[in-house]
Amino acid sequence: MNNYFSIQDIDSLPGWVEEAIAIKKNPLSNKTLGKDKTIGLLFFNPSLRTRLSTQKAALNLGMNVMVMNFTGEGWSLEYGDGTIMDQGNSEHVKEAAQVVSQYCDILGVRAFAKLEDRDDDYSEKVLNGFINHASIPVINMESATRHPLQALTDAITITEYKKTDKPKVVLSWAPHPKALPQAVANSFVEMMQRMDADFVITHPVGFELASQITKQVPIDYNQENALKDADFVYVKNWSAYQEYGKVINDDPSWKITNKKMKLTNDAKLMHCLPVRRNVVVDDVVLDSNNSIVIEQANNRTYAAQLVLKKILEKS
Ligand code: CP
């Protein structure tokens, strides 16, 4: 594996999940694999989990870690080919990616969707700019359209907690005051299509994700119906794909409540975090024994460690 761009870079999902769970049991088992290697983590957006779990994963492998908050600290980057750079951007990704490649052995990049221009976001110009011009492996730490480290984490977490071979998993849209990207939902949908799961998406009309991602996954516009007998409820907001980046509906009745959880098969509650309490999901649900969001966040380390291990073993 040269880059970890999306979950399509996972060659054998059951094998990867099994290996991540083994790493979790003995996280220092490869503590010299990354000796004298350096990972650079570039953040164009805020982060708590991705930043710290990826650092922790690298440290568990004996790597050196350099972190840079690009926005506000780095030069403003240009991505276009042949651009006459007489406007605000000071440096082209062509130089930036090559320069970073001399300082690091692996690069992680976080660059969210701007939610202004769908084609621009879905072209993944920032992540692809680094992948195309870096001479080292690049890891997606949440790009405009994908969050594959989160999706691998989610697969590990569902595998750990499932009580049946084919659990019912419901991805439920929830209200949110701000327009959020589709990256987490997109990667989770892609992951559920690769797992053995009875998978349903529920959201209000107008919040359909890209059809090239959802493919044949059933969509139920009736949330309570979708939640019936669920083993896992993954709650997440995303902004509209068709009316791109718009909050066309913030209907509070889509919040996950205790009453709704009672429709499920004693389901586990998942969320990638950060989560807006009592907007997305009620306190009583988030604080219940059915909530596995903290353990889910813990698994971010082992997902990242597995990806780094695979890259280091190849190099
Ligand atoms: N889930 C996730 O990616 O969290 P952060 O945005 O805090 O990294």
Side-chain angles (χ1 to χ4, degrees):
M1 186 179 63
N2 292 325
N3 302 302
Y4 188 61
F5 177 85
S6 75
I7 71 154
Q8 308 316 326
D9 294 309
I10 299 173
D11 51 11
S12 160
L13 182 62
W16 277 48
V17 168
E18 195 181 319
E19 196 172 343
I21 291 171
I23 289 170
K24 183 175 180 177
K25 288 182 183 143
N26 193 359
L28 298 178
S29 56
N30 288 287
K31 64 182 178 190
T32 58
L33 183 65
K35 188 173 179 299
D36 299 330
K37 303 274 186 190
T38 299
I39 186 166
L41 305 178
L42 304 185
F43 285 88
F44 291 82
N45 307 97
S47 169
L48 188 159
R49 281 142 289 272
T50 305
R51 180 171 175 151
L52 296 184
S53 65
T54 309
Q55 285 191 58
K56 174 81 176 174
L59 293 171
N60 283 348
L61 291 165
M63 298 188 79
N64 303 310
V65 185
M66 299 196 298
V67 184
M68 183 169 179
N69 293 319
F70 222 89
T71 306
E73 293 179 11
W75 298 108
S76 171
L77 293 187
E78 174 62 46
Y79 298 92
D81 259 345
T83 306
I84 298 169
M85 289 173 54
D86 58 357
Q87 299 295 311
N89 294 334
S90 307
E91 177 159 24
H92 202 284
V93 70
K94 285 184 182 180
E95 282 78 46
Q98 291 181 74
V99 168
V100 171
S101 299
Q102 297 175 108
Y103 306 149
C104 304
D105 301 283
I106 300 176
L107 178 63
V109 177
R110 163 163 284 200
F112 289 173
K114 289 199 171 6
L115 297 176
E116 291 161 0
D117 178 331
R118 189 172 76 188
D119 290 343
D120 195 56
D121 284 341
Y122 274 72
S123 75
E124 293 283 10
K125 72 177 181 193
V126 178
L127 192 63
N128 278 327
F130 279 96
I131 287 174
N132 291 338
H133 299 295
S135 54
I136 57 175
V138 178
I139 295 173
N140 181 349
M141 299 197 301
E142 188 173 345
S143 65
T145 71
R146 301 291 194 283
H147 196 352
L149 285 174
Q150 183 66 54
L152 178 55
T153 298
D154 300 336
I156 295 164
T157 309
I158 288 173
T159 303
E160 285 181 323
Y161 280 90
K162 71 179 184 181
K163 292 181 188 150
T164 59
D165 287 344
K166 189 172 182 178
K168 179 174 178 182
V169 179
V170 179
L171 172 63
S172 179
W173 181 92
H176 197 281
K178 286 172 65 180
L180 297 186
Q182 293 123 23
V184 169
N186 284 348
S187 285
F188 186 71
V189 170
E190 290 178 326
M191 182 57 85
M192 286 307 102
Q193 289 173 87
R194 289 187 64 175
M195 285 190 79
D196 201 10
D198 174 12
F199 180 49
V200 180
I201 307 172
T202 183
H203 57 69
V205 171
F207 282 98
E208 292 77 12
L209 294 162
S211 59
Q212 65 269 26
I213 288 171
T214 55
K215 296 182 180 147
Q216 307 305 319
V217 174
I219 296 168
D220 192 337
Y221 297 111
N222 183 324
Q223 188 191 37
E224 294 196 353
N225 194 49
L227 291 173
K228 274 181 201 148
D229 301 323
D231 298 299
F232 294 90
V233 176
Y234 198 115
V235 60
K236 181 76 185 87
N237 171 270
W238 60 88
S239 59
Y241 176 78
Q242 292 300 339
E243 286 191 61
Y244 189 65
K246 300 269 185 311
V247 182
I248 54 174
N249 180 348
D250 62 353
D251 182 354
S253 73
W254 277 78
K255 179 178 64 171
I256 295 293
T257 63
N258 214 19
K259 191 172 164 210
K260 287 181 190 171
M261 290 299 283
K262 288 194 187 315
L263 298 169
T264 70
N265 181 28
D266 199 27
K268 299 298 183 195
L269 186 280
M270 299 178 71
H271 189 286
C272 60
L273 303 180
V275 64
R276 298 234 180 186
R277 283 175 169 258
N278 304 308
V279 174
V280 171
V281 51
D282 272 344
D283 276 344
V284 68
V285 180
L286 212 41
D287 295 332
S288 74
N289 288 335
N290 288 52
S291 171
I292 55 173
V293 298
I294 303 301
E295 190 54 30
Q296 190 182 349
N298 184 33
N299 283 337
R300 289 295 307 271
T301 299
Y302 311 109
Q305 193 166 328
L306 176 63
V307 169
L308 294 179
K309 178 174 177 282
K310 297 264 180 202
I311 291 173
L312 287 168
E313 283 172 343
K314 192 167 179 206
S315 64

